[in-house]
Structure formats: C-alpha cells, structure tokens
Amino acid sequence: MINSNAFDYINVLDKTADASWIRNEVLSNNLANVNTPNYKRQDVAFERELERALGNSRYKTMDAKVSGLKINRLKARPYTDYSNFSYRMDGNNVDIDTENVTLAANQIKYQGVMLGIRSEFSNLQNAMRG
C-alpha cells in the first residue's frame, strides 16, 4: 500500500483485486469438490465489508469516504455458505452451474478492477506530465 491520498482509489482497487483473486480460488475449490460427500460450498465476503467501511453517509463525497478508509482493516474473508443446507443426498451443497456462473462473473469483475487500476495509474501519469 502506498501512503498518499493520491493513491486512495488504487489502494481500494488493489484490495478489491486481492479479494476477487481469493474468491476465484475459493470458487475453484468448490468446483473441485462438487462430488465430495458433505462438502459445503464456500464464498468470500468482501463487498459487504467494503460497503460497511465506506459508510452510508449521504453528506460525504466518495473521495472523502475513500480517503477515510482504514484500508488495512479490509479483508477478504472466506465463509461457508448455507452450511446447514443441502439438496443432495450426499450432504454436498455445491451446484456446478451456479458455481460456473459465479466464477465467470468474478473473473469479469477482476478484469474490470484491473482496468480500473490501470486507468488510475494512467491518470497519475498524466497529472505528473501536466
């Protein structure tokens, strides 16, 4: 992490990219265990944590919210999803179609975040040239 207000958005995007990467690994693990008896799917909680950290004040700009973030407290936390639920006889609750769609959506999100990071660095380069 870079400690300057000029990098606030980059730091948030960096944490988001890390969370997306971890989620990709967790979703891939779900797919690998689709036939493992009693396996319970896992997912990663990050978006809700980021929303909570940003707060819901209507009276602050997004710039103010992002600069006030305690970035080191944002963590991608894996959790077991629907741990008491299974529609299958073997106790597994992984649905391969849902996992594949969720994995594809996560990969698109990751690509978007990486594009955002490149854009932020491009903006900084343009500002330094200016």
Side-chain angles (χ1 to χ4, degrees):
M1 261 21 79
I2 302 168
N3 293 324
S4 167
N5 287 354
F7 296 95
D8 288 343
Y9 282 99
I10 292 171
N11 290 337
V12 171
L13 288 168
D14 179 51
K15 282 287 194 173
T16 305
D18 288 348
S20 186
W21 186 269
I22 292 168
R23 189 170 198 216
N24 196 70
E25 291 177 346
V26 167
L27 294 172
S28 295
N29 189 51
N30 290 344
L31 287 167
N33 285 287
V34 72
N35 292 319
T36 303
N38 296 314
Y39 178 83
K40 301 301 182 194
R41 86 174 293 276
Q42 294 187 326
D43 207 341
V44 174
F46 179 76
E47 289 83 0
R48 283 175 278 176
E49 188 170 335
L50 179 59
E51 285 177 26
R52 232 184 339 266
L54 288 171
N56 16 338
S57 173
R58 288 186 261 174
Y59 306 107
K60 284 176 121 180
T61 65
M62 185 56 75
D63 289 344
K65 290 178 183 183
V66 169
S67 76
L69 272 179
K70 304 221 180 330
I71 199 77
N72 293 330
R73 292 186 185 171
L74 284 177
K75 303 241 185 285
R77 301 181 198 291
Y79 66 94
T80 302
D81 196 19
Y82 300 112
S83 60
N84 296 326
F85 173 75
S86 177
Y87 61 91
R88 294 172 32 179
M89 297 299 288
D90 67 356
N92 186 310
N93 69 350
V94 176
D95 176 64
I96 194 164
D97 294 327
T98 301
E99 295 303 311
N100 280 321
V101 168
T102 306
L103 184 63
N106 187 62
Q107 289 169 348
I108 291 169
K109 180 195 293 185
Y110 182 79
Q111 291 169 359
V113 169
M114 296 310 292
L115 183 63
I117 291 172
R118 281 193 297 275
S119 175
E120 286 296 319
F121 275 116
S122 177
N123 290 343
L124 286 172
Q125 283 178 326
N126 289 336
M128 288 186 279
R129 286 186 199 127

